[in-house]
Amino acid sequence: KKKKKKKNVSKMASSVAQIDERLAAEEASPLTAEEQKFADAALAGLTEEQRAKLSPVDIITVVRGYQTYDPRLEETNKAMKMIADWRDKAGYEKFLKEALPMAAEFQKAWPERIYGCDKYGHITIGFRFEELDIAEIDKIIASDKTSEEGSESALLLRLQGQKLATTMKYKVLAAAAAGTQRYKHSIVIDLSGMGMSILSGHKRQVIKMVMDVSANYFPECVWKIYVINAPFVFRAMWAVVKPWIHPITVAKVNVLGSPKDAVKKMAEAGLPETAVPVWAGGSNEGQQVGDILQKYISEGTH
């Protein structure tokens, strides 16, 4: 039984590696002729001004992010329009020019750092659950006079959008320096201190609100997710749903135990110890996303 289990694990690792190689090659490539048809159709639904504000990478991420949706053409068109409209409303073109109100407070309440790169050139973003301060985020929501009571906080969504715009710019610049195209990043999440309250209630609602900004307006941006110090109940739930999830999604998510287990798994995926957060078993101290944003603003990096 042990030999059979080892054989299955080896076969799974080989399959994941093959998927990674294929996806990394696709990511580095321009749109194919077939993909360009979807891009042209989606762009036709935007105003000339909206089209001018989209970068080639913006277009690629939407087209590839919706390639498994059905009907693909309709869903891609809707997504491109939704993202362009949100950018207009949120003032996206100013995100790297000036800090939004409460930006410093948000970065402190939901701190994230950028670490090193994997063998393909994907940057790593780290987040520790125990550093999340929902009470401070609630203050940001309460200060938002632009949203109706009971609705999502427009300011909170814009603050998360500004953070994601910062990481996207960082990825584009890093990829350009490396001479390749990369628009995805890996995420390391430390679940230490996470209680059962995360599964329901107000805390879950706030976290979902913030994370939905990425899902809705920054598609196709995640390469790998490493969850460390995952409670038993979390790992048990993942084991149950994993067989029902698409292989490409499964290849992205790694629910792990201790940092020692995590750093080994990351190394196998091409993420060296020097690129891994110190708190995840690596040696990289990282850079605060908020500090990078301030640097871009002061230097005029748009």
Side-chain angles (χ1 to χ4, degrees), residues 164-186:
L164 291 169
T166 303
T167 58
M168 178 59 79
K169 174 59 70 173
Y170 190 98
K171 284 185 282 187
V172 170
L173 293 176
T180 187
Q181 176 173 273
R182 291 287 173 236
Y183 43 80
K184 299 180 183 180
H185 62 266
S186 291

Side-chain angles (χ1 to χ4, degrees), residues 86-244:
W86 177 78
R87 288 188 173 193
D88 287 343
K89 186 177 180 180
Y92 184 87
E93 71 279 1
K94 296 181 180 179
F95 278 177
L96 300 183
K97 296 180 180 179
E98 56 187 43
L100 291 168
M102 305 291 285
E105 290 83 352
F106 177 65
Q107 297 287 354
K108 186 177 180 180
W110 191 304
E112 291 179 325
R113 292 177 176 84
I114 294 179
Y115 298 89
C117 296
D118 66 10
K119 66 179 181 180
Y120 298 110
H122 301 110
I123 68 169
T124 306
I125 298 176
F127 166 68
R128 308 187 74 181
F129 191 85
E130 63 186 9
E131 295 181 343
L132 177 63
D133 193 334
I134 293 294
E136 287 301 311
I137 293 178
D138 281 339
K139 291 179 182 178
I140 294 173
I141 295 173
S143 74
D144 186 3
K145 306 304 180 183
T146 65
S147 300
E148 297 180 6
E149 187 175 352
S151 65
E152 291 185 335
S153 169
L155 176 58
L156 183 61
L157 303 192
R158 292 175 69 214
L159 286 166
Q160 177 64 2
Q162 186 171 57
K163 180 187 286 186
L164 291 169
T166 303
T167 58
M168 178 59 79
K169 174 59 70 173
Y170 190 98
K171 284 185 282 187
V172 170
L173 293 176
T180 187
Q181 176 173 273
R182 291 287 173 236
Y183 43 80
K184 299 180 183 180
H185 62 266
S186 291
I187 305 171
V188 183
I189 306 173
D190 183 357
L191 292 187
S192 296
M194 187 191 84
M196 294 301 292
S197 62
I198 186 64
L199 300 177
S200 62
H202 176 66
K203 183 178 290 188
R204 177 181 179 277
Q205 183 181 9
V206 172
I207 292 173
K208 183 179 184 302
M209 189 189 309
V210 172
M211 295 185 70
D212 278 351
V213 177
S214 177
N216 293 335
Y217 307 121
F218 294 82
E220 197 67 0
C221 67
V222 175
W223 175 253
K224 296 279 185 181
I225 299 175
Y226 299 95
V227 181
I228 70 170
N229 293 317
F232 174 77
V233 64
F234 190 96
R235 281 179 281 169
M237 290 170 60
W238 172 244
V240 170
V241 303
K242 186 176 178 179
W244 305 331

Side-chain angles (χ1 to χ4, degrees), residues 229-282:
N229 293 317
F232 174 77
V233 64
F234 190 96
R235 281 179 281 169
M237 290 170 60
W238 172 244
V240 170
V241 303
K242 186 176 178 179
W244 305 331
I245 299 175
H246 194 283
I248 290 179
T249 302
V250 171
K252 289 183 179 183
V253 181
N254 300 272
V255 179
L256 308 166
S258 68
K260 183 179 179 181
D261 296 331
V263 78
K264 181 180 178 181
K265 183 70 175 180
M266 293 179 207
E268 292 173 355
L271 188 61
E273 183 180 320
T274 53
V276 177
V278 171
W279 46 262

Side-chain angles (χ1 to χ4, degrees), residues 37-48:
K37 294 177 183 177
F38 289 97
D40 293 341
L43 292 171
L46 307 184
T47 66
E48 185 175 343

